[in-house]
DNA sequence: TTCTCACATGGCATCGATGCCACATGCCTT
DNA sequence: AAGGCATGTGGCATCGATGCCATGTGAGAA
């Protein structure tokens, strides 16, 4: 009755701390059936007599059996794994995004493999290849370069881009209407009578930065306020310590007429805030500030920041949902979901002209 | 020459969008060798003639071959996957921790599978089982209940607990010296002449909360200041909307003699800060505040918060390093690393007695 | 009683990569 | 010249789960 499988002898090895993995084979043996029957009993497919089913479950429980996903993935189609690539988890924006993604996916029984590329394209591409190697059922990409997207799409992996559009065909996109949000923010300043408005951006290569800058220009145009190049600061590539701070400081110093600043994201807003403080300029009396993206600190400081609130967590879960739709029901056409941000007016903006 | 393997026919299927996976077998065929030779050529093990090696690499490149980790994991020992379980990614603390972990592990060629249990033990246990199923080489656990640790340790998976000690034997621990940090923070207040000091904690079940409360008591005792139960607020289980806020408010209102508050972590500090503001109490003149844990907002607000700075990112990478040591070199004994926090004195604390 | 059908079960091939082992090849030694 | 050794190479079993398919069992019908 106690048949010994070919691999059974390895159990006899020195008890080097942990005992060997429990396999389905052992469970079946314990329950006195064959592997296939045990598989059916646990999986709930096909016919298995009630008492046998019960016996198998008991055996599995007793031995602490945990099915091996590698084997299952190898045999079947799905790995139940989704890749998530972000560019900086220390940035609250990405952390929230990741949280939203994780929640939705784990509710749906998927595991999330996280890669943080720290903004480096090469690393993003490596991550993409790793996802491929794991046979990830799908991948979510938050701002990174084109290569990662291309690698994945080329290999037929469903991709959802979050908060950016690489332009690669065939992948879903979930993004914020940056242009609109930026326009609202700047329009708000204009309504308050500001005419000399500076803008600080991170980058202008990708949709996020480009569109926000565009929104700024559109708002100005609509109000027939001239667009001045010297009031625009693009911090792209100023990664060195203090370089970005200096650039923001220089912008403020070189344009003393400026009465309001539009910061295109949370990182930039932080810089602007600090540099204004350092110069002893009061917000909003000396200078109004609007931020694109609303984070914890903006609600803690005094005055609280007027900001364009993005539903970040929701964006993550929305993207995850979109991906699941694609994976589960095999939707073919790529979809683009644009979420609308919302301007939250708080204390960092006030009427212009209170200065002199 | 063109031998057809048993599975080759499936390539003929309808070109349903994506082409089939490229296997090692196909690469070998393309290069005109056998699977094993191709494996050796790519893996760099054993003898392969130079020109063959080259040919195989070219073929792999041309076909876009990506080895299947499932198969590799199934055959070999290691999955090159590490699990990371955190209790709330939206909390900057955990996000930073995760970032530190991710960096170290991905540098070492491991993939990080992220699970966020939102503080629910059941979910943590599910996560643990998922890690087991994936044959994770190791797991990092940030504050969660005991069950998850037990499940993993029982199955022989190396575990490193970060920022907590469940007490389960056999797992490594990386933590902050909470007691010391809390003592320093409270001692600082005492040196400034404060005698009526309140403390707010999240929980007192686990090491983090318990030790910080202990540090508070020790500092008081050392200064021969009586410990009053009513100045201690434990927010455990007050999860409902507004409940925690109300409790903090009640503490402040019920103890008007209090001239300083020690907040045991970032979440609690936020509440304290907000409630003080809401009551129109000026920091630090009306009430000094010290926080355990130093986050972005604490450096943005005015006055900047005096805080016990924890090397969070480093804690993550340290934990990851510890885990890798265990996994790679099979270290047997469990280690406990205690990192020392550092009190950063800023503007939220001042001498007592300026009030009347 | 025997034949049929519905239901239950175990054998076996499969997924893709790996590495041992047996074999083949070429070179050098005696 | 023949054996031995060093160096490459391919066949094959293996990892664990899965599910098809061919068998086995029992009940019910003719």
């Amino acid at each position: 009755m106690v048949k010994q499988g070919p691999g059974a002898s390895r159990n006899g090895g020195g008890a080097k701390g942990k005992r060997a993995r429990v396999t389905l084979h052992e469970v079946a043996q314990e329950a006195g059936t064959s592997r296939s029957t045990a598989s059916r009993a646990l999986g709930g497919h096909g016919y298995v007599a009630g008492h046998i089913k019960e016996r198998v479950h008991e055996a599995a429980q007793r031995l602490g059996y945990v099915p091996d996903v590698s084997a299952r993935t190898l045999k079947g189609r799905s790995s139940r794994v989704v890749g998530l690539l972000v560019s900086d988890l220390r940035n609250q924006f990405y952390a929230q995004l990741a949280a939203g993604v994780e929640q939705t996916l784990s509710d749906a029984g998927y595991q999330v493999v996280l890669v943080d590329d720290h903004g480096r394209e090469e690393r993003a591409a490596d991550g993409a290849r790793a996802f491929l190697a794991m046979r990830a059922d799908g991948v979510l990409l938050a701002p990174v370069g084109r290569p990662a997207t291309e690698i994945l799409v080329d290999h037929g992996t469903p991709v959802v881009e979050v908060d950016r559009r690489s332009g690669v065909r065939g992948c879903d996109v979930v993004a914020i209407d940056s242009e609109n949000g930026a326009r609202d923010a700047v329009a708000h300043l204009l309504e308050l009578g500001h005419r000399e408005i500076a803008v600080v951006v991170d980058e202008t290569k990708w949709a996020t930065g480009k569109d926000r800058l565009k929104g700024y220009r559109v708002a100005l145009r609509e109000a027939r306020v001239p667009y001045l190049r010297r009031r625009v600061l693009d911090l792209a590539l100023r990664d060195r310590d203090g370089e970005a701070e200096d650039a923001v400081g220089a912008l403020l110093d070189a344009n003393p007429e400026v009465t309001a600043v539009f910061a295109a994201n949370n990182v930039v807003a932080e810089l602007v805030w600090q540099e204004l403080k350092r110069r002893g300029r009061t917000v909003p009396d000396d200078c109004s500030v609007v931020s694109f993206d609303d984070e914890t600190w903006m609600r803690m400081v005094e005055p609280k920041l007027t900001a364009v609130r993005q539903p970040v967590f929701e964006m993550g879960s929305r993207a995850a949902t979109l991906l699941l739709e694609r994976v589960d029901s095999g939707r073919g056409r790529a979809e683009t979901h644009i979420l609308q941000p919302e301007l939250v007016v708080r204390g960092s903006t006030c009427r212009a002209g209170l200065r002199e």
Side-chain angles (χ1 to χ4, degrees), chain A:
Chain A
M1 178 179 189
V2 182
K3 285 180 290 185
Q4 285 287 336
S9 64
R10 90 192 131 79
N11 288 333
K16 201 183 172 187
K18 58 201 80 167
R19 58 181 171 290
R21 294 240 106 82
V22 178
T23 74
L24 184 61
H25 183 256
E26 285 158 301
V27 173
Q29 221 167 266
E30 177 85 6
T33 49
S34 75
R35 281 208 305 281
S36 1
T37 305
S39 174
R40 263 173 292 124
L42 294 172
H45 312 294
Y47 301 108
V48 183
H51 66 286
I52 295 248
K53 190 170 190 166
E54 204 176 314
R55 230 198 298 159
V56 172
H57 271 98
E58 274 168 21
Q61 184 73 35
R62 194 162 45 239
L63 299 177
Y65 170 69
V66 180
D68 187 317
V69 251
S70 307
R72 182 177 285 163
T73 301
L74 183 57
K75 186 63 175 61
R77 286 267 143 257
S78 164
S79 60
R80 301 249 101 189
V81 157
V82 166
L84 170 63
L85 189 44
V86 298
S87 59
D88 182 13
L89 204 59
R90 288 149 108 168
N91 184 331
Q92 242 186 83
F93 176 84
Y94 294 111
Q96 299 235 118
L97 199 70
V101 166
E102 201 281 340
Q103 186 166 81
T104 303
L105 289 176
S106 77
D107 281 348
Y110 281 80
Q111 300 304 321
V112 178
V113 175
L114 177 78
V115 172
D116 185 338
D117 72 348
H118 300 276
R120 274 182 285 145
E121 272 200 358
E122 187 202 317
R123 193 120 183 183
D126 286 348
R129 270 183 285 268
F131 294 151
L132 235 37
M134 298 182 85
R135 303 291 185 244
D137 292 341
V139 172
L140 293 150
L141 296 174
V144 281
R146 224 169 183 279
T149 314
E150 274 172 348
I151 292 173
L152 291 163
V153 172
D154 272 5
H155 282 260
T157 303
V159 171
V160 178
E161 291 187 335
V162 194
D163 195 42
R164 79 182 288 273
R165 315 134 172 269
S166 68
V168 174
R169 287 184 62 85
C171 57
D172 294 325
V173 171
V174 174
I176 291 290
D177 192 334
S178 282
E179 187 183 325
N180 235 337
R183 210 190 49 185
D184 287 354
V186 177
H188 166 66
L189 293 171
L190 290 162
E191 274 163 30
L192 288 171
H194 295 277
R195 286 299 171 269
E196 288 79 28
I197 304 172
V199 58
V200 184
V201 210
D202 236 349
E203 49 82 23
T204 48
K205 259 176 91 182
W206 308 111
T208 5
K210 201 163 28 176
D211 289 356
R212 287 174 199 179
L213 190 54
K214 194 170 167 202
Y216 166 83
R217 296 188 71 158
V218 169
L220 290 185
R221 177 153 14 101
E222 284 174 355
R224 295 170 199 280
V225 170
Y227 166 84
L228 295 184
R229 189 65 195 266
R230 64 186 162 90
R231 292 190 189 141
V232 178
L233 175 60
D234 177 4
L235 292 172
L237 305 176
R238 318 261 170 112
D239 285 341
R240 290 249 168 73
D241 255 7
E243 232 181 326
E245 282 86 344
D246 293 348
V248 174
L251 172 79
L252 295 173
D253 295 340
N255 299 277
E257 81 285 5
V258 160
T259 61
V261 180
F262 168 51
N265 65 39
N266 69 62
V267 177
V268 161
E270 214 172 305
L271 291 169
V272 169
W273 183 262
Q274 299 281 34
E275 290 305 311
L276 284 171
K277 289 267 146 170
R278 184 172 307 173
R279 278 167 177 66
R281 301 188 53 182
T282 336
V283 176
D285 301 330
D286 288 346
C287 186
S288 288
V289 176
V290 188
S291 158
F292 199 115
D293 194 2
D294 183 20
E295 298 209 345
T296 319
W297 70 264
M298 303 180 184
R299 272 162 276 143
M300 305 294 288
V301 296
E302 204 56 55
K304 297 184 176 58
L305 257 71
T306 294
V308 179
R309 216 178 64 74
Q310 317 181 62
V312 186
F313 187 89
E314 196 204 325
M315 193 154 73
S317 55
R318 185 75 156 270
T321 307
L322 214 56
L323 186 64
L324 290 178
E325 267 177 46
R326 243 214 174 167
V327 171
D328 292 340
S329 27
R331 170 168 54 77
R333 278 194 53 73
E335 284 181 17
T336 295
H337 287 210
I338 302 294
L339 306 185
Q340 287 302 326
E342 173 199 6
L343 180 70
V344 182
V345 177
R346 291 194 281 237
S348 71
T349 47
C350 71
R351 297 211 66 80
L354 300 179
R355 228 197 303 189
E356 45 266 285

